[in-house]
Amino acid sequence: MEHQLYIYNTLTRKKERFIPIHEPNVGMYVCGPTVYGDPHLGHARPAITFDILFRYLKYLGYKVRYVRNVTDVGHLENDEDEGEDKIAKKARLDQLEPMEVAQYYYNSYRKAMELLNVLPPSIEPHASGHIMEQIEFTQKILDAGYAYESNGSVYFDVEKYNSDHHYGKLSGRDIDEMMETTRALDGQSEKRRSADFALWKKAAPEHIMRWKSPWSEGFPGWHIECSAMGTKYLGEEFDIHGGGMDLIFPHHECEIAQSKAALGKESVKYWMHNNMITINGQKMGKSLGNFITLGEFFTGGHALLTKAFSPMTIRFFILQAHYRSTVDFSSEALEASEKGLERLMEGYARLQNLKASEKSSIEIGNLREKCKEAMNDDLNTPIVISYLFESLRIINLVHDGKETISQEDLDELQSVFKLFIEDILGLQPAGTASEGIEAYRKAVDLLLNIRLEAKKNKDWTTSDKIRDELTSYGFEIKDTKDGFEWSL
RNA sequence: GGUACUUUGGCCGAGUGGCUAGGCGCCGGUCUGCAAAACCGUUUACGGCGGUUCGAAUCCGCCAAGUACCUCCA
């Protein structure tokens, strides 16, 4: 594949040329949601980040298998691996079946992702549907001698693993120091060391989510699902594993150790992590209680929001920052994005109706190549957007009749805008869904044509009445040099 | 305490050695019956102190402030 895509690999802390293991196939695994709460802005970031990567890899010609898991079991409330499963807890509180809770929030998550125009992954495996695979994976680790059974539970032996390999390579931790600094366990724990983590947990009598295993009736540890499902659908070695930066430790560190222990090899070639969204400089997170759900954004129903914001505004806002930077949320920043997006999309709509001339009076530049270069540089979407805005100026100048454009240049601009705005950035033109009704459009055109005549006759009363009435119904009327434009 | 990282103009946010990021806002102008839109122009940017260099927002050191991870979280 002819391209120069470089992506930042957390493992090496460098940008590396992307070369897949089995060209033209690419395997990509991204940590999805734990479905026990409403989807919030924090869920949108990785979904959009890796949606961009998914779209761009496909544009480059790869055949991508994109796996994004759904965690519906095994997520414990606290470490020490003594807590209660999140889904089960929520189910008990709401008096629902655990699977009912998971299904409800999973539906909610998918709906939000659809609104954000995030493409569905190739496979969305549920942890609860892969208990066998997780048991088998755990058995492999036991067989390899990197885990031990304790009172019906199975734990990963971090110290043993670290003596043969390097536990902490992804997060840059020194496990020996960690073991010294971590406080001593109380005598009750089944774990030999606090750094050890559960592969399988024996279920307490009151625990409602449970499965049979060689060790006990119980449930899998949190980290094992990704190793098991990633291996199942992408093979023992695959190209990209992504997720939020907060998962680097311990989740991804544990995954690396599990896979190496069970399979004897490195599973993942490129580790990619998106940064967090902050709110007043602090991470937006469920546990901090400062998160805003996506539903609240779409309706404006949150104290921190001055108004509702469309899904495309949220998407655009996120894409205006590089995925490895934190992005600080504020209503003011979102409003700025909203206006910018509106102007960009109006220009994009205008571009479709631009009239070509003999020749161009203005250089359109090599927009296509520049945008590709920006994408190739670790998916630099803010730069792509800045180039689009620069070209927007040309579109508007031609639209105003101040510059001319040749058919060839016009075709190129239309093609590049379509490619980057719709196909790669995934920004949907507003109102495309409601655009279908031809008669309605003609009716509005008719009204505005009547207004145009009134204007010619200097009948300002009639012309203003038409404009003001339409405006009050929610239409936006813009006069142009020789006519009008409108949108709803 | 350990690890990773951040600090850019009114706000958001790119940028790793020299050349305009971009968006939003503000102000002035063009256009217009008015308005909106559009266009043009303007707006004291690189936390502080040193160092390297012909040249640093960009490299190095120290200091300051802040964030994340080290317990669930995207």
Side-chain angles (χ1 to χ4, degrees):
Chain A
M1 219 63 59
E2 285 293 313
H3 68 79
Q4 288 289 323
L5 173 61
Y6 282 74
I7 55 180
Y8 183 87
N9 190 346
T10 309
L11 204 52
T12 57
R13 309 206 180 267
K14 283 197 297 256
K15 285 179 196 171
E16 294 176 8
R17 174 101 186 267
F18 178 69
I19 302 165
I21 299 165
H22 302 294
E23 187 160 308
N25 299 303
V26 173
M28 174 169 146
Y29 188 99
V30 174
C31 289
T34 301
V35 283
Y36 70 109
D38 289 315
H40 58 86
L41 195 56
H43 290 107
R45 189 137 200 224
I48 290 172
T49 298
F50 293 103
D51 184 49
I52 297 291
L53 180 60
F54 184 37
R55 287 165 182 268
Y56 193 61
L57 287 171
K58 286 201 292 188
Y59 160 72
L60 290 176
Y62 290 113
K63 196 160 171 275
V64 187
R65 180 178 292 167
Y66 174 17
V67 178
R68 187 180 64 202
N69 66 299
V70 177
T71 300
D72 55 357
V73 287
H75 228 160
L76 297 161
E77 274 294 298
N78 57 53
D79 186 25
E80 304 312 310
D81 289 339
E82 309 287 353
E84 186 177 9
D85 185 284
K86 277 186 174 170
I87 310 286
K89 181 182 180 185
K90 182 80 183 170
R92 196 166 47 70
L93 292 173
D94 293 354
Q95 295 199 314
L96 298 167
E97 269 296 313
M99 279 304 152
E100 206 173 351
V101 174
Q103 185 69 48
Y104 175 84
Y105 289 113
Y106 174 61
N107 290 346
S108 173
Y109 175 81
R110 284 204 74 164
K111 181 71 191 161
M113 291 306 121
E114 193 183 321
L115 287 169
L116 289 167
N117 203 24
V118 169
L119 296 174
S122 323
I123 304 174
E124 290 184 277
H126 286 58
S128 63
H130 297 77
I131 301 296
M132 282 311 297
E133 287 83 352
Q134 297 181 70
I135 289 172
E136 281 167 21
F137 211 96
T138 300
Q139 188 61 55
K140 276 189 191 169
I141 298 172
L142 273 168
D143 294 346
Y146 290 110
Y148 57 89
E149 191 185 336
S150 174
N151 191 28
S153 293
V154 181
Y155 293 96
F156 192 91
D157 189 339
V158 171
E159 192 180 35
K160 169 81 191 307
Y161 176 83
N162 194 53
S163 66
D164 299 336
H165 308 288
H166 177 196
Y167 181 82
K169 61 193 282 188
L170 184 67
S171 54
R173 280 177 167 75
D174 183 341
I175 193 65
D176 293 328
E177 271 179 33
M178 275 177 64
M179 298 223 208
E180 281 167 25
T181 52
T182 316
R183 70 193 156 82
L185 292 170
D186 52 31
Q188 301 299 83
S189 180
E190 299 167 343
K191 292 199 286 186
R192 288 182 193 159
R193 297 183 184 280
S194 62
D196 293 350
F197 54 90
L199 298 172
W200 185 265
K201 282 289 291 180
K202 181 181 176 180
E206 67 275 16
H207 203 103
I208 40 184
M209 296 186 95
R210 51 171 69 218
W211 291 268
K212 287 202 173 80
S213 81
W215 316 287
S216 64
E217 242 189 48
F219 52 93
W222 172 35
H223 312 298
I224 197 74
E225 64 173 278
C226 291
S227 292
M229 297 192 296
T231 304
K232 172 162 182 170
Y233 295 112
L234 298 173
E236 295 192 350
E237 292 171 292
F238 57 91
D239 301 296
I240 298 168
H241 190 128
M245 271 186 187
D246 50 343
L247 297 178
I248 292 174
F249 191 91
H251 185 53
H252 291 161
E253 203 72 77
C254 294
E255 272 189 65
I256 289 175
Q258 287 170 164
S259 295
K260 181 89 181 184
L263 309 171
K265 59 178 90 165
E266 294 293 324
S267 278
V268 177
K269 193 169 177 190
Y270 304 94
W271 284 92
M272 294 178 71
H273 294 93
N274 62 274
N275 214 319
M276 304 290 105
I277 284 176
T278 60
I279 182 158
N280 297 323
Q282 201 185 23
K283 188 176 89 163
M284 180 181 291
K286 183 155 294 183
S287 55
L288 297 167
N290 65 347
F291 70 99
I292 305 177
T293 69
L294 289 167
E296 285 166 342
F297 273 102
F298 303 158
T299 60
H302 190 281
L304 287 165
L305 300 172
T306 52
K307 61 191 286 292
F309 292 99
S310 73
M312 279 308 109
T313 300
I314 304 292
R315 186 175 176 106
F316 187 66
F317 173 68
I318 287 172
L319 292 178
Q320 271 187 306
H322 188 261
Y323 77 90
R324 284 191 291 113
S325 298
T326 56
V327 55
D328 197 47
F329 156 82
S330 71
S331 221
E332 194 190 2
L334 264 179
E335 279 181 50
S337 284
E338 181 180 51
K339 284 180 187 161
L341 176 64
E342 197 178 327
R343 199 159 74 83
L344 182 65
M345 294 315 258
E346 272 176 23
Y348 179 44
R350 227 166 245 171
L351 177 61
Q352 311 309 319
N353 302 319
L354 238 43
K355 299 229 169 14
S357 306
E358 276 295 293
K359 54 203 281 191
S360 295
S361 62
I362 189 166
E363 277 286 324
I364 66 162
N366 202 348
L367 182 62
R368 188 184 296 271
E369 278 309 310
K370 282 162 67 185
C371 288
K372 273 177 71 172
E373 272 173 35
M375 287 301 292
N376 284 339
D377 184 15
D378 196 29
L379 310 177
N380 202 328
T381 54
I383 293 291
V384 172
I385 291 170
S386 80
Y387 290 149
L388 293 174
F389 272 108
E390 283 175 7
S391 298
L392 181 63
R393 218 182 117 254
I394 295 169
I395 293 169
N396 286 328
L397 284 170
V398 174
H399 176 259
D400 268 15
K402 289 174 182 160
E403 301 282 358
T404 61
I405 190 167
S406 67
Q407 190 62 53
E408 193 188 348
D409 283 350
L410 181 57
D411 289 346
E412 173 65 6
L413 268 188
Q414 286 176 341
S415 162
V416 178
F417 263 64
K418 162 84 167 58
L419 173 64
F420 281 92
I421 289 183
E422 293 199 55
D423 300 344
I424 293 175
L425 297 182
L427 298 167
Q428 284 169 322
T432 38
S434 61
E435 213 165 47
I437 309 158
E438 192 60 26
Y440 143 81
R441 298 181 69 81
K442 282 184 176 165
V444 179
D445 283 348
L446 175 67
L447 272 170
L448 287 171
N449 275 315
I450 292 170
R451 171 165 176 267
L452 210 56
E453 273 194 31
K455 279 175 68 179
K456 269 186 198 144
N457 301 329
K458 298 202 191 303
D459 178 2
W460 310 128
T461 319
T462 306
S463 93
D464 284 356
K465 183 179 180 192
I466 293 173
R467 182 180 66 193
D468 295 346
E469 287 282 319
L470 284 176
T471 302
S472 75
Y473 304 154
F475 288 92
E476 195 178 2
I477 313 299
K478 288 173 190 170
D479 286 356
T480 60
K481 216 176 173 69
D482 46 8
F484 54 81
E485 288 176 349
W486 64 270
S487 58
L488 191 58

Short mmCIF file of all heavy atoms in Angstrom, two decimals, chain A residues 22 62 74 161 298 362 385 440 483:
data_model
loop_
_atom_site.label_atom_id
_atom_site.label_comp_id
_atom_site.label_asym_id
_atom_site.label_seq_id
_atom_site.Cartn_x
_atom_site.Cartn_y
_atom_site.Cartn_z
N HIS A 22 -0.26 -8.18 8.04
CA HIS A 22 -0.70 -8.96 6.88
C HIS A 22 -1.40 -8.07 5.87
O HIS A 22 -2.62 -8.09 5.75
CB HIS A 22 -1.67 -10.07 7.32
CG HIS A 22 -1.10 -11.02 8.32
ND1 HIS A 22 -0.05 -11.87 8.04
CD2 HIS A 22 -1.39 -11.24 9.63
CE1 HIS A 22 0.25 -12.58 9.11
NE2 HIS A 22 -0.55 -12.20 10.10
N TYR A 62 -7.01 -0.35 2.78
CA TYR A 62 -6.90 -1.55 3.60
C TYR A 62 -8.26 -2.19 3.82
O TYR A 62 -9.29 -1.53 3.79
CB TYR A 62 -6.29 -1.21 4.97
CG TYR A 62 -4.84 -0.84 4.90
CD1 TYR A 62 -4.41 0.45 5.18
CD2 TYR A 62 -3.89 -1.79 4.53
CE1 TYR A 62 -3.07 0.79 5.12
CE2 TYR A 62 -2.54 -1.47 4.44
CZ TYR A 62 -2.13 -0.17 4.74
OH TYR A 62 -0.82 0.15 4.66
N GLY A 74 -17.84 -8.63 34.80
CA GLY A 74 -16.46 -8.72 35.27
C GLY A 74 -15.79 -7.44 35.68
O GLY A 74 -14.64 -7.44 36.08
N TYR A 161 5.95 -13.20 36.40
CA TYR A 161 5.99 -12.70 35.02
C TYR A 161 7.10 -11.69 34.85
O TYR A 161 7.87 -11.73 33.89
CB TYR A 161 4.64 -12.07 34.66
CG TYR A 161 4.61 -11.44 33.28
CD1 TYR A 161 4.37 -12.22 32.15
CD2 TYR A 161 4.86 -10.07 33.11
CE1 TYR A 161 4.36 -11.66 30.89
CE2 TYR A 161 4.86 -9.50 31.86
CZ TYR A 161 4.59 -10.30 30.75
OH TYR A 161 4.59 -9.74 29.50
N PHE A 298 -27.39 16.92 23.50
CA PHE A 298 -28.31 17.02 22.37
C PHE A 298 -29.58 17.78 22.75
O PHE A 298 -30.26 18.33 21.89
CB PHE A 298 -28.67 15.62 21.85
CG PHE A 298 -27.45 14.81 21.43
CD1 PHE A 298 -27.51 13.42 21.37
CD2 PHE A 298 -26.26 15.44 21.09
CE1 PHE A 298 -26.39 12.67 20.99
CE2 PHE A 298 -25.14 14.69 20.72
CZ PHE A 298 -25.20 13.32 20.68
N ILE A 362 -7.71 32.29 -9.39
CA ILE A 362 -7.11 32.11 -8.07
C ILE A 362 -6.57 30.68 -7.96
O ILE A 362 -7.14 29.75 -8.53
CB ILE A 362 -8.17 32.41 -6.98
CG1 ILE A 362 -7.54 32.45 -5.59
CG2 ILE A 362 -9.34 31.42 -7.01
CD1 ILE A 362 -8.46 33.07 -4.54
N ILE A 385 -8.75 20.44 9.07
CA ILE A 385 -9.84 21.41 9.16
C ILE A 385 -9.35 22.82 8.82
O ILE A 385 -10.04 23.57 8.14
CB ILE A 385 -10.48 21.35 10.57
CG1 ILE A 385 -11.24 20.02 10.72
CG2 ILE A 385 -11.42 22.52 10.79
CD1 ILE A 385 -11.70 19.72 12.13
N TYR A 440 -42.04 21.02 -1.03
CA TYR A 440 -41.85 21.98 0.06
C TYR A 440 -40.74 22.98 -0.28
O TYR A 440 -40.86 24.18 -0.06
CB TYR A 440 -41.58 21.18 1.34
CG TYR A 440 -40.58 21.75 2.31
CD1 TYR A 440 -40.95 22.76 3.20
CD2 TYR A 440 -39.29 21.26 2.35
CE1 TYR A 440 -40.03 23.25 4.11
CE2 TYR A 440 -38.37 21.74 3.26
CZ TYR A 440 -38.74 22.74 4.14
OH TYR A 440 -37.84 23.22 5.03
N GLY A 483 -29.88 37.04 -5.85
CA GLY A 483 -30.96 36.14 -5.46
C GLY A 483 -30.99 35.93 -3.96
O GLY A 483 -30.91 36.88 -3.20
#
